Amino acid sequence: MYNVYRHIALAACTIAAISLSSCGGSTDNKGSEAQVAFDEAQREYDNGDARQCIALLDSLDSKYAKDMDVMKQSMGLRPKALLQIAVEDIAAADSIINANKERIDSLRPLMTHIDVPGTEGYSVCNSMVDANFMNKTGVSARVSEIGEFYLVSSVNPAGGLKHWSVSAVVGDKIATTDTVACDGALNFRVNNSEVITFTPAGSKEIGELVASNEGLPVKILFNGQNGGSKSITLNAKLINGIATAYRYAKAVNDMRDATIDRERLNARADKLQQQIGNNGNSGVENTGK
């Protein structure tokens, strides 16, 4: 009988030991998985793929948030990867700035600045300089003082057309400005003459269409508010005038946007550098303790 109880006791101890071993192994495996996941993120960073590193760290932080040792490693690596991304984005912004500076330098000689007493002036392509524009039927592509592309339309004689938008037809493609109701300012009508100044946002599609299809015929439709219309076909100089003004304005805006972006990225990089330095100093202090 003693031997029976002895065997039962030994069996119970064995089961308990196996159970404890199993639990301990599960914890170790989970910790090992977290470390393996971090090591993979570290490899991506070391191989120069900081964006993939961040993606892996995001997944790691979500899945193993309770593993303090790995989270500490993740917090140390993340700002380094983000800094690398910022450096890459700064280089891309510099490339955009330099490319557009070259475009501006090449296009600026093709543009003429027109002074307007009492208000802001504008620039037009040399081929579109026309002091008699208001006395004709046509369109003028202009670039504002801050580099915004916009269109001005003139219908003279108007014959009561009362136009309020303009369309450009290139092949089977068509682009139309925004609609501007007669307000005596942006859309004014005097005697038999009608003139509209369209917004940059409303003019963009026509500029883009003409600039991307230069060399093809362009028909301009002056759309009356009551459904009537007039049309003209632009000659090569006028087509070039719209395309050049649009490209010039786009280069100015793209360069300005990239410059602003670079300043933001530089500030971000400075903060990340400071964070990395603080992490290093903090690590040294903790080790000293």
Side-chain angles (χ1 to χ4, degrees):
M1 181 65 70
Y2 171 77
N3 288 334
V4 172
Y5 284 119
R6 184 170 178 271
H7 285 305
I8 291 173
L10 286 172
C13 290
T14 302
I15 293 170
I18 292 172
S19 176
L20 288 172
S21 175
S22 175
C23 291
S26 174
T27 302
D28 290 344
N29 286 340
K30 188 172 183 182
S32 177
E33 288 175 5
Q35 188 62 54
V36 168
F38 172 79
D39 290 344
E40 184 179 353
Q42 180 71 60
R43 278 194 298 273
E44 293 297 338
Y45 173 76
D46 293 339
N47 291 334
D49 194 343
R51 296 177 195 278
Q52 179 61 16
C53 173
I54 289 296
L56 291 172
L57 289 178
D58 287 343
S59 176
L60 171 72
D61 292 353
S62 174
K63 190 173 181 180
Y64 304 106
K66 293 182 179 180
D67 191 320
M68 292 298 102
D69 289 339
V70 171
M71 286 302 99
K72 184 176 180 180
Q73 295 179 71
S74 176
M75 290 173 63
L77 180 58
R78 181 177 291 275
K80 295 178 182 178
L82 290 174
L83 177 59
Q84 182 57 44
I85 292 172
V87 169
E88 293 171 2
D89 289 345
I90 288 170
D94 282 338
S95 179
I96 293 172
I97 291 169
N98 293 333
N100 282 287
K101 184 179 183 304
E102 289 181 7
R103 291 191 188 100
I104 292 170
D105 290 343
S106 66
L107 291 171
R108 186 179 286 115
L110 306 178
M111 303 293 293
T112 296
H113 186 268
I114 307 296
D115 291 318
V116 181
T119 186
E120 288 187 353
Y122 58 88
S123 296
V124 295
C125 182
N126 299 339
S127 61
M128 272 198 157
V129 176
D130 186 358
N132 201 36
F133 170 72
M134 298 297 187
N135 298 317
K136 301 177 180 179
T137 295
V139 290
S140 175
R142 302 178 178 182
V143 179
S144 71
E145 297 285 13
I146 61 171
E148 299 290 341
F149 172 86
Y150 68 100
L151 293 171
V152 176
S153 64
S154 173
V155 179
N156 192 341
L161 175 63
K162 297 181 180 179
H163 83 292
W164 62 352
S165 71
V166 168
S167 300
V169 181
V170 181
D172 60 352
K173 300 175 182 177
I174 185 169
T176 302
T177 63
D178 51 345
T179 297
V180 182
C182 182
D183 59 1
L186 293 178
N187 182 340
F188 68 88
R189 299 163 185 167
V190 178
N191 299 325
N192 203 24
S193 176
E194 301 175 5
V195 176
I196 302 177
T197 300
F198 296 99
T199 65
S203 304
K204 180 181 178 180
E205 287 189 10
I206 288 182
E208 191 172 40
L209 176 64
V210 175
S212 61
N213 292 278
E214 193 173 8
L216 296 180
V218 177
K219 178 186 284 188
I220 298 294
L221 305 177
F222 302 87
N223 307 308
Q225 65 185 54
N226 297 319
S229 68
K230 281 191 173 185
S231 68
I232 61 171
T233 299
L234 300 183
N235 60 37
K237 286 185 177 181
L238 295 179
I239 293 173
N240 176 259
I242 295 175
T244 300
Y246 179 79
R247 290 175 185 141
Y248 179 72
K250 187 175 187 304
V252 171
N253 279 274
D254 287 351
M255 180 175 172
R256 179 170 58 236
D257 290 345
T259 300
I260 293 171
D261 198 32
R262 183 179 62 182
E263 291 173 355
R264 176 185 63 81
L265 289 166
N266 281 333
R268 178 170 174 73
D270 289 342
K271 287 183 179 179
L272 288 167
Q273 286 277 24
Q274 184 178 4
Q275 182 180 347
I276 292 168
N278 290 339
N279 287 346
N281 293 334
S282 178
V284 171
E285 292 171 2
N286 289 338
T287 301
K289 292 178 180 180

